[in-house]
Amino acid sequence: MVDRPTYSSKTPCVGLCSTVYGDQVCRGCKRFSHEIVDWNRYDTHARAAVWQRLEQLIEQVIMARVELVSAVELNRALEHYKVAVDAAMPLGMKVLRLLARLGDEPLGAAGIRLRGEWVGMPTRQLRDDVDQAFFALSQAYYDRRMPPVA
């Protein structure tokens, strides 16, 4: 039996690349410019390392804002909105992908409840807030860990 590749064997690209405009961190997928350039040369381990960083950052952002009330309802919503997910995908990644499809629909029907200061925030605004926070964390990670470009 051949194992199907997981979502992490694919590129994280979302088709909104900003590195062509000089950004060191892509505003679309949140990868670093050198990771985008070298992606097709990366082996499985290098790709997995990039995905792991992205997953950890999005998990931090998403789980600060929402809590899972019902996995059954979440899975039903993912199926209803035809969101491509993988069994190995962390909850934060699933919620991120769902947010992109929900539009103005409330999160409650998807088995998700907002936390703290995000209670009452419209879904589109939450999606934008998550994207901005994810980018800020990715940029901070880049600034801390990557050597300055000469």
Side-chain angles (χ1 to χ4, degrees), residues 92-114:
M93 294 297 287
K94 290 178 182 179
V95 172
L96 177 68
R97 290 186 176 191
L98 180 61
L99 285 175
R101 297 278 179 92
L102 280 178
D104 292 322
E105 295 295 318
L107 295 174
I112 301 167
R113 179 172 40 224
L114 293 173

Side-chain angles (χ1 to χ4, degrees), residues 35-133:
E35 292 170 339
I36 293 168
V37 169
D38 295 335
W39 187 261
N40 289 329
R41 288 189 289 260
Y42 281 1
D43 64 15
T44 304
H45 298 292
R47 288 180 181 189
V50 172
W51 269 109
Q52 183 178 19
R53 183 189 73 242
L54 296 173
E55 289 168 352
Q56 288 172 345
L57 295 178
I58 198 58
E59 200 76 8
Q60 182 178 343
V61 171
I62 291 288
M63 298 318 291
R65 289 159 176 75
V66 304
E67 65 178 304
L68 180 64
V69 176
S70 169
V72 170
E73 289 179 24
L74 174 62
N75 288 329
R76 197 174 294 140
L78 291 166
E79 193 174 300
H80 173 77
Y81 289 100
K82 297 177 178 35
V83 178
V85 294
D86 186 294
M89 190 177 285
L91 177 61
M93 294 297 287
K94 290 178 182 179
V95 172
L96 177 68
R97 290 186 176 191
L98 180 61
L99 285 175
R101 297 278 179 92
L102 280 178
D104 292 322
E105 295 295 318
L107 295 174
I112 301 167
R113 179 172 40 224
L114 293 173
R115 297 179 189 264
E117 67 185 85
W118 295 279
V119 171
M121 183 179 277
T123 304
R124 284 184 198 266
Q125 187 178 348
L126 175 67
R127 184 194 65 222
D128 293 344
D129 177 71
V130 164
D131 187 64
Q132 290 169 6

Side-chain angles (χ1 to χ4, degrees), residues 4-51:
R4 282 185 40 219
T6 65
Y7 74 98
S8 61
S9 65
K10 300 174 184 151
T11 176
C13 182
V14 296
L16 301 170
C17 194
S18 68
T19 60
V20 296
Y21 302 111
D23 288 345
Q24 293 301 310
V25 177
C26 178
R27 292 181 184 276
C29 68
K30 315 310 186 264
R31 285 180 295 165
F32 306 151
S33 59
H34 67 274
E35 292 170 339
I36 293 168
V37 169
D38 295 335
W39 187 261
N40 289 329
R41 288 189 289 260
Y42 281 1
D43 64 15
T44 304
H45 298 292
R47 288 180 181 189
V50 172
W51 269 109

